[in-house]
Amino acid sequence: MNQEEIFKKLEKEFESTFVELVSGIIHDFANPLNGILGRSELLEAKAEHLKLIINDKDNIDAEILEGCKKIIYDSGLIAKEANRLFGLFNDVTGKFQSLSNAALQKINLSELVEAEMKFLQFYRNIKHDIKKKLTLDREIPEISGVKADYSIFLSAIIRRSVNSMKDSELKELVVSTGHDDSHVYVKIEDTGTPIPEIEIKEIIENWNSSDYPLHDLNEDNRLLYALFLLKKYGVLFQITHESGFNVILIKIPY
């Protein structure tokens, strides 16, 4: 199984979600943009109070002062919405920068997981239908690797969890990071359909194989391919089902 081929398959599968993704991006960008435009129009109307001050400095009454206060207030709201829009823009561009970053480098797994979770909010079903909990180890040691590998891995494995909850009454996703004296870890838990034993068995049986055939990517082998992508980094994994949650634990040496 060729690592480059695995990455391309996972990347192509990610690209197949672009229609849904673009819809979410447009929707989320529209909210602060509408706020900026609306407040800008109000600000323009209230700017008449400034003209009155300029034209008649000796007759500044309470109404003019109140208008000036509203100008300051609206200016603050415009700045707030602009910062919000810029943050959303960074969430989008950060993801695609990670996917194109093929350089071997030091990676803070907690920061990358946080960025990935922010990006996944652009998918409407993830944002509105799923209860999410994120617990990050801010003291986590850095690992060596290619950021594109870890970015596409996280996208694949978290979206697998999301898809597994499609028919679940309780939709809950828990993502956490941590470390011990030799490994950092990321743990993904979901309340979706239990991962089939046959799928787990296939992963375990073929983990040490170098010639596992590369099939078309689907829901049954997405987890296998995602794990195999990180195999070159010496990762360890554990897949269990505990208290109604699928639990996927990935440990990476540092």
Side-chain angles (χ1 to χ4, degrees), residues 37-211:
L37 293 174
R39 286 290 169 180
S40 295
E41 291 177 358
L42 290 173
L43 189 61
E44 184 178 12
K46 291 170 184 173
E48 293 297 322
H49 292 285
L50 296 179
K51 291 182 181 178
L52 292 174
I53 294 174
I54 294 171
N55 295 331
D56 191 359
K57 297 179 181 178
D58 297 326
N59 293 296
I60 301 175
D61 58 20
E63 183 181 354
I64 292 176
L65 289 174
E66 183 62 26
C68 290
K69 290 179 182 178
K70 289 179 179 178
I71 290 172
I72 295 171
Y73 177 74
D74 285 342
S75 299
L77 288 180
I78 290 172
K80 182 179 179 180
E81 289 298 286
N83 286 332
R84 180 184 167 200
L85 183 61
F86 185 64
L88 292 171
F89 175 79
N90 283 337
D91 292 341
V92 174
T93 57
K95 172 64 174 179
F96 290 102
Q97 286 172 353
S98 292
L99 285 176
S100 62
N101 192 335
L104 185 65
Q105 61 191 281
K106 294 293 185 181
I107 299 170
N108 183 302
L109 188 61
S110 290
E111 291 178 357
L112 185 59
V113 167
E114 184 174 33
E116 292 292 328
M117 292 297 289
K118 286 181 179 179
F119 178 80
L120 287 169
Q121 290 286 84
F122 289 112
Y123 291 95
R124 311 310 297 165
N125 63 323
I126 296 178
K127 183 173 184 176
H128 297 295
D129 300 340
I130 295 174
K131 180 181 178 182
K132 297 166 289 292
K133 181 179 179 182
L134 185 62
T135 304
L136 299 173
D137 177 1
R138 295 299 182 183
E139 304 300 323
I140 198 167
E142 292 181 322
I143 54 176
S144 295
V146 173
K147 187 171 284 188
D149 288 341
Y150 284 97
S151 180
I152 203 71
F153 162 79
L154 288 167
S155 286
I157 207 165
I158 293 174
R159 287 185 55 252
R160 187 220 65 81
S161 287
V162 169
N163 290 343
S164 76
M165 293 186 280
K166 182 174 58 176
D167 298 320
S168 300
E169 184 175 345
L170 174 65
K171 295 179 172 64
E172 188 170 348
L173 176 68
V174 181
V175 181
S176 55
T177 60
H179 74 281
D180 55 28
D181 58 358
S182 58
H183 291 76
V184 302
Y185 70 78
V186 57
K187 182 162 64 173
I188 296 100
E189 304 171 72
D190 65 72
T191 54
T193 302
I195 302 171
E197 288 294 332
I198 189 171
E199 185 179 349
I200 299 173
K201 183 179 179 182
E202 183 177 15
I203 295 170
I204 294 172
E205 288 181 349
N206 291 283
W207 185 248
N208 294 318
S209 173
S210 59
D211 57 356

Side-chain angles (χ1 to χ4, degrees), residues 184-251:
V184 302
Y185 70 78
V186 57
K187 182 162 64 173
I188 296 100
E189 304 171 72
D190 65 72
T191 54
T193 302
I195 302 171
E197 288 294 332
I198 189 171
E199 185 179 349
I200 299 173
K201 183 179 179 182
E202 183 177 15
I203 295 170
I204 294 172
E205 288 181 349
N206 291 283
W207 185 248
N208 294 318
S209 173
S210 59
D211 57 356
Y212 184 82
L214 200 64
H215 302 294
D216 289 338
L217 184 63
N218 54 52
E219 288 297 324
D220 295 330
N221 59 29
R222 182 185 291 158
L223 177 58
L224 181 149
Y225 286 171
L227 289 171
F228 269 57
L229 182 64
L230 297 189
K231 182 180 175 182
K232 60 187 175 184
Y233 299 118
V235 303
L236 304 174
F237 67 89
Q238 184 178 12
I239 304 171
T240 56
H241 191 79
E242 305 169 9
S243 304
F245 280 83
N246 292 310
V247 182
I248 302 172
L249 176 67
I250 313 297
K251 300 184 72 174

